[in-house]
Amino acid sequence: MAHLFSPLKIKNIELKNRIAVSPMCEYSSEDGFANDWHFIHLGSRAVGGAGLIITEACAVSAEGRITFADLGIYRDEHIEKLKHITDFIQAHGAVAGVQLAHAGRKASHVEPWNGGKQIPSNQPNGWKAVAPSAVPFKDDEEAPLELDKAGIEKVKADFKAATKRAIAAGFQVIELHGAHGYLLHQFLSPISNKRTDEYGGTFDNRIRLLLEVVEAVKEVWPKENLLFIRLSTTEWTEGGWTADDSVALAKILKDKGVDLIDCSSGGNVVNAKIPLKPGYQVEFAEKIRKESGILTGAVGLITTAYQADEIIQEGEADLIFLAREMLRDPHFPLRAAHELGHEVKWPVQYERAKW
Ligand SMILES: Cc1cc2nc3c(=O)[nH]c(=O)nc-3n(C[C@H](O)[C@H](O)[C@H](O)COP(=O)(O)O)c2cc1C
């Protein structure tokens, strides 16, 4: 029976355990460049024993950034620093992944620790956000510009160009950010997508952009590499995207060669009532895994070795994404292995601290 420290082999890529560092925005870049902060933040979690390390949301275009300080992969010059990070991650036995993202209507904000408010497009560090429809996320925010056909083509081209840079930067996993109310999710949801063309209205129309982005990525992404998608598997809102929609989409994505769905939720509706409790999103990872047959990742308020191990052992998910617990303890995987009684390799430099 699989457990938290069983390797996970997908195609020919093997993750040494089932622990993935979940994407976490650091808002610490200038013009999209990774720097020492990102190297230490991601590198230390490779030292700490995670099997897979995924960067924060990495913007595919400057206008697709949440803030002016987001990490980006929209210029060839971004590649060098990212490559330095992936080399280090791989040298420490982990697989490096990048989350490709476009913020859509949630672009042009200040960092959360400075209040997280939108910067109007006519202010310094602000720009006009784009979205499926001219519907702001919050009532007091400037409405985004509805993407026209040329704008949609640019989004696809940006994801494709970012994929080429991800290859050059040495990533083996791409996770498309289709969750948390960002652009691809905005298209999926009837709450944010009010279009009347072939990209809006029916389920088939609302999923069209995501499928076209998948196609664009696959045109250049090597077959041996992995493609994950993070979805907000429910919006917790009457009339919004549902878990059954996620299952239907997952079946289609599986047929298109997507390797895993990272099952998050929410983020597209202000004040949605989310029943927060330990492992509150695991049921969606389990449902999608069982009903579509695709591999899934569970995320959200998973904080202990035993909790994570049980999710794998019960067959509720294939991979555990940890965010805040990995901030509290970058060495969580080494500690978890000890707690669960598994022998794992420590970095030689740290071996004398082994429990
Ligand atoms: C500091 C921080 C930054 C985050 N940034 C991202 C991000 O860039 N992309 C994303 O998909 N989720 C992001 N998230 C959400 C996490 O990946 C994760 O889904 C969420 O925190 C729930 O997991 P946890 O309970 O283990 O923290 C972020 C979370 C935190 C705490």
Side-chain angles (χ1 to χ4, degrees):
M1 189 199 296
H3 57 76
L4 192 60
F5 286 89
S6 313
L8 177 63
K9 193 167 182 192
I10 314 177
K11 295 190 282 205
N12 273 328
I13 295 180
E14 184 168 284
L15 310 182
K16 66 183 170 188
N17 58 46
R18 305 303 182 98
I19 301 173
V21 177
S22 199
M24 280 180 278
C25 282
E26 301 298 298
Y27 308 112
S28 300
S29 298
E30 267 181 54
D31 192 16
F33 281 91
N35 54 41
D36 287 355
W37 178 263
H38 304 89
F39 183 76
I40 300 290
H41 167 65
L42 297 166
S44 59
R45 280 148 188 94
V47 171
L52 172 64
I53 296 169
I54 304 192
T55 70
E56 68 200 87
C58 194
V60 299
S61 61
E63 68 273 19
R65 293 173 298 170
I66 305 165
T67 75
F68 52 85
D70 283 20
L71 186 64
I73 191 161
Y74 50 86
R75 288 173 51 180
D76 290 345
E77 292 82 359
H78 290 147
I79 293 168
E80 186 184 346
K81 294 276 186 199
L82 293 170
K83 180 78 167 60
H84 184 47
I85 295 172
T86 63
D87 283 347
F88 184 86
I89 289 174
Q90 280 155 23
H92 289 274
V95 171
V98 60
Q99 187 182 52
L100 297 185
H102 190 305
R105 66 179 180 169
K106 284 187 160 182
S108 187
H109 283 63
V110 294
E111 313 95 316
W113 51 81
N114 284 321
K117 286 222 173 304
Q118 189 188 51
I119 306 178
S121 55
N122 59 2
Q123 299 289 312
N125 281 328
W127 62 91
K128 189 76 180 166
V130 297
S133 305
V135 182
F137 176 55
K138 292 181 181 158
D139 289 343
D140 61 349
E141 289 183 348
E142 186 178 318
L145 192 69
E146 176 173 320
L147 281 164
D148 59 13
K149 290 285 159 56
I152 287 178
E153 290 306 313
K154 178 179 182 311
V155 168
K156 289 192 263 173
D158 287 340
F159 273 98
K160 186 169 173 178
T163 301
K164 287 188 193 159
R165 294 187 193 105
I167 298 166
F171 291 104
Q172 288 183 288
V173 176
I174 281 180
E175 174 171 280
L176 295 176
H177 200 343
H180 303 169
Y182 297 112
L183 185 76
L184 297 174
H185 178 185
Q186 290 159 30
F187 270 83
L188 297 177
S189 170
I191 289 169
S192 42
N193 183 345
K194 304 289 180 196
R195 299 177 75 93
T196 52
D197 64 1
E198 70 269 32
Y199 289 96
T202 63
F203 173 85
D204 287 346
N205 283 354
R206 284 180 281 114
I207 68 170
R208 190 179 308 280
L209 179 64
L210 176 60
L211 299 187
E212 289 180 353
V213 167
V214 167
E215 287 303 326
V217 166
K218 283 183 60 189
E219 274 166 30
V220 287
W221 190 230
K223 285 196 174 27
E224 60 270 23
N225 285 356
L226 307 184
L227 180 58
F228 294 3
I229 300 191
R230 175 166 269 199
L231 292 179
S232 279
T233 54
T234 173
E235 293 185 315
W236 305 106
T237 303
E238 192 78 30
W241 181 265
T242 66
D244 286 330
D245 289 333
S246 297
V247 171
L249 176 58
K251 287 179 182 164
I252 297 167
L253 293 172
K254 182 170 190 280
D255 288 345
K256 294 214 170 285
V258 170
D259 297 293
L260 181 142
I261 306 288
D262 172 7
C263 300
S264 190
S265 76
N268 199 34
V269 179
V270 184
N271 296 330
K273 298 251 174 309
I274 304 182
L276 291 176
K277 59 175 186 194
Y280 69 106
Q281 295 169 149
V282 174
E283 64 175 289
F284 304 110
E286 182 182 16
K287 178 180 169 74
I288 291 168
R289 186 175 191 268
K290 295 205 165 131
E291 294 180 26
S292 76
I294 200 166
L295 299 180
T296 62
V299 66
L301 289 177
I302 301 169
T303 55
T304 73
Y306 294 99
Q307 185 192 5
D309 192 43
E310 193 180 351
I311 293 165
I312 300 294
Q313 291 210 29
E314 293 294 320
E316 293 167 340
D318 301 280
L319 196 56
I320 304 294
F321 286 71
L322 297 176
R324 286 163 291 182
E325 199 53 35
M326 288 299 301
L327 296 187
R328 293 179 196 112
D329 181 4
H331 305 115
F332 175 91
L334 298 178
R335 187 181 294 278
H338 170 66
E339 285 176 14
L340 297 170
H342 297 292
E343 185 62 30
V344 294
K345 192 172 172 311
W346 277 50
V348 286
Q349 298 89 336
Y350 286 9
E351 262 176 357
R352 285 201 289 171
K354 208 167 170 183
W355 288 289

